[in-house]
Every structure is written in C-alpha cells, then in structure tokens.
Amino acid sequence: MAIKWKPSLYFSCKRFKGMFSFAWKKIISMLINELYEEFRGLIIAKKYSIADLSYYSKGKQFPQLIGNNVSATLTNVMFPVFSTIQDDKSKLRAAMRRSLKTCTYVLFPLMIGFAVISDKFVSVILTDKWLFAVPYMKIFCLVYIFKPIKNISKSAINAIGRSDVDLYSNIVEKVFGVISIIIAINMGIIYLAWSALITYIIGAIIIAYINGRFLQYTIKDQCLDMVPAFILTIVMSIVVEFAGFVPINSKLIVMMFQIAVGGFTYLGLSVIFKVESYIYLKNTLCYAIKNRRNKSKH
C-alpha cells in the first residue's frame, strides 16, 4: 500500500543548535586525532632515517588495520544502540558491559595471538628483509587493543550527548602524548613506539574513569569484565609460543599450525569454563542462522 507523503520545509533552530553543539566538538576531537598521528609520523621522518620510518610504519600497518576495523565496526554498531537507551542509565551500562566483554573476548586473542606469530608472519608475508619491523608490530598489537576499548566508552559518553567530555578527555590524552614524544624523541625510535602505547593506556584510563562518573561503571568493574578474556588469551599465547617450536622447516606451515592450535585452545577453554562471552556469541550466531533458515522456508 502506498503512503502519500510530501516533504515540508521546516527548520528548527532549537534542534539545529543542539546538533551543532554536539557535532562541532566531535569534529574537533577527530581533527585532533588526525593531527596527532601525523605529528608523530613527521617527527620520526625528520629525526630518523627513511629505513627507520619504513620499519616503524610497516610494524604499525597490520595491527592498525585490525584495530581500526574492529573499532570502526563497534562504533558504527554500538553508538545507535546506545543512543536509543541514552535516558536509561542502567540499560546503557548493561549494554556497555556486554559490548566490552564481547569486544575483549574477540580482540584480545586476535591482537596478542598476532603479536606471538608476528616474526613468522613477517618472514612469510613480507620476507625476511622486514624482520626489523617485528618489535614495532608487537608493540602496536598492544596499542590497538586499547583503541576499540576506548571507543566503546566514548560511544556511551557521546550517546548521552556529552561530546564535550569526549573532546576534553581527548585533549588531555594528546597532551600526555606530545609530552611522551618529547621525552622519547632522543632515546630512539622504539621508545616512540612505547610512548604511543603509554598514551593509549592513559587515554583508556581517563575515559574509563569518566564512565565511572557518568554511568557508575567503574574502572574496577571494567577490569573485572575483561579478566576472563585476558586469562584465556595469556594461556592461549603461551601454548601458541610453544607450538612455534614444532620441528618443521616451513615457516608457513608452522604459522598455520600455531593459528590452529591457538584457536582450538581458546575455544576449548571457553567451552570448558563456560565463558559468558562465548555462550553469548554462540547463542547469537545460532539465533541468526535459525532466523535465516526460517526466512528461506517462507
């Protein structure tokens, strides 16, 4: 049935003022992020050789790809969800807890597992000439663990309309970032990579503290929610490390074996200990498959 609808010319100054007040702070915050990242790259390019910059950039490339994709996906999905329940703090807190648990359950093994196999990954995919990029790759695997976690917290803060808090916390984080760059610049390029990790950790702590103030979801509660995934990941990474000593000449086969062993260990432990995030993801997947089958029948 067709519905007759015609657009009408109507402009609400009140709504525009509210939306503009929210949006300009988000734009400035995003601009600060981009300028900060470019500033770090420019410092390295000016202070160090092209080879150093190449290893640094290559080491950052793959962890950044994983972290940014996970982060963008979570932000695009969770912000609309958080916005629909912005007036109910208890529901918003529960949704954020679910997001954090699910994110860390998926992200921790991806990033830590990738850090463990990074030397073989570089040898197989990029060739041995890029092995100097491995230390940076390991560090940035840790760096990009914190980005999606931070973005979940920021999405919740933005959902309640406090883009100003997001902006101010971002400014404080970047001030610490610039200070860390100034301290590390003459110590060596590897210390600049470590300074990036320190900056992300500080940023995560700041936004976690803010969530404790606005949503009563304290840093302690957030850490406890991440503990199961963290413990499983540590056990998995130890197993994957030992799996790398298998007496096989092919680095590709060893790497694939490590990935298989890591996945089996992580999922196996999840089943044995009935990890909440695993059960949630399994039930969600089964429900989605069942719905698709029912739709195909009709």
Side-chain angles (χ1 to χ4, degrees):
M1 184 178 74
I3 299 175
K4 292 183 179 180
W5 176 81
K6 294 180 180 179
S8 58
L9 293 174
Y10 176 75
F11 184 82
S12 172
C13 291
K14 183 178 180 181
R15 289 190 177 183
F16 173 79
K17 184 178 178 181
M19 292 175 66
F20 181 78
S21 177
F22 176 86
W24 78 262
K25 299 182 185 76
K26 282 296 299 175
I27 293 171
I28 295 298
S29 184
M30 292 168 64
L31 183 61
I32 289 172
N33 285 336
E34 293 299 321
L35 289 174
Y36 173 77
E37 292 298 330
E38 292 299 322
F39 173 71
R40 182 178 288 275
L42 287 172
I43 289 294
I44 295 171
K46 186 174 179 62
K47 184 70 177 178
Y48 299 95
S49 68
I50 297 297
D52 288 331
L53 179 59
S54 298
Y55 294 132
Y56 179 93
S57 300
K58 191 61 70 175
K60 181 180 179 181
Q61 180 183 355
F62 293 98
Q64 185 180 44
L65 181 66
I66 298 171
N68 281 350
N69 281 328
V70 173
S71 182
T73 301
L74 284 171
T75 302
N76 292 337
V77 171
M78 296 316 305
F79 181 68
V81 173
F82 290 161
S83 296
T84 59
I85 53 176
Q86 60 181 294
D87 296 323
D88 190 329
K89 294 292 178 65
S90 61
K91 286 185 178 180
L92 183 57
R93 183 170 58 252
M96 187 184 166
R97 290 191 69 184
R98 170 59 61 203
S99 301
L100 186 64
K101 288 180 180 180
T102 306
C103 171
T104 52
Y105 179 78
V106 174
L107 190 67
F108 279 8
L110 278 177
M111 300 306 289
I112 301 301
F114 187 68
V116 173
I117 67 167
S118 58
D119 54 341
K120 294 180 182 66
F121 176 85
V122 169
S123 291
V124 172
I125 304 299
L126 303 177
T127 70
D128 288 346
K129 70 179 182 180
W130 288 102
L131 283 174
F132 287 110
V134 170
Y136 305 110
M137 195 171 286
K138 291 179 183 292
I139 293 171
F140 280 106
C141 281
L142 299 177
V143 168
Y144 283 98
I145 278 178
F146 289 96
K147 186 168 185 177
I149 294 172
K150 278 170 44 184
N151 280 5
I152 289 173
S153 297
K154 289 189 174 188
S155 291
I157 293 298
N158 286 320
I160 60 176
R162 297 306 304 265
S163 60
D164 57 327
V165 174
D166 180 12
L167 174 60
Y168 300 147
S169 67
N170 198 24
I171 290 172
V172 173
E173 176 190 338
K174 296 307 181 289
V175 168
F176 277 107
V178 171
I179 292 172
S180 70
I181 290 173
I182 293 171
I183 293 172
I185 189 170
N186 292 318
M187 299 172 66
I189 192 169
I190 193 70
Y191 290 97
L192 282 169
W194 282 114
S195 74
L197 175 59
I198 292 169
T199 302
Y200 268 77
I201 292 173
I202 290 172
I205 292 171
I206 291 171
I207 198 67
Y209 173 77
I210 290 169
N211 268 302
R213 293 289 301 274
F214 283 90
L215 301 175
Q216 289 72 56
Y217 186 27
T218 64
I219 294 177
K220 180 182 177 181
D221 291 335
Q222 293 176 55
C223 289
L224 288 174
D225 284 341
M226 291 188 284
V227 163
F230 178 74
I231 293 174
L232 288 183
T233 300
I234 293 300
V235 175
M236 180 210 72
S237 63
I238 293 171
V239 173
V240 170
E241 182 68 34
F242 278 104
F245 295 109
V246 63
I248 299 175
N249 291 328
S250 173
K251 290 183 179 180
L252 175 60
I253 294 175
V254 173
M255 184 178 72
M256 298 304 293
F257 177 70
Q258 285 181 288
I259 293 171
V261 168
F264 180 80
T265 301
Y266 195 75
L267 290 176
L269 290 172
S270 299
V271 173
I272 292 170
F273 293 103
K274 298 178 181 179
V275 177
E276 181 188 347
S277 296
Y278 164 76
I279 295 171
Y280 171 76
L281 287 172
K282 185 186 74 171
N283 291 340
T284 302
L285 182 60
C286 291
Y287 179 77
I289 293 172
K290 185 179 179 181
N291 269 359
R292 177 166 291 187
R293 286 176 178 173
N294 290 336
K295 287 179 180 179
S296 63
K297 288 179 182 179
H298 296 291

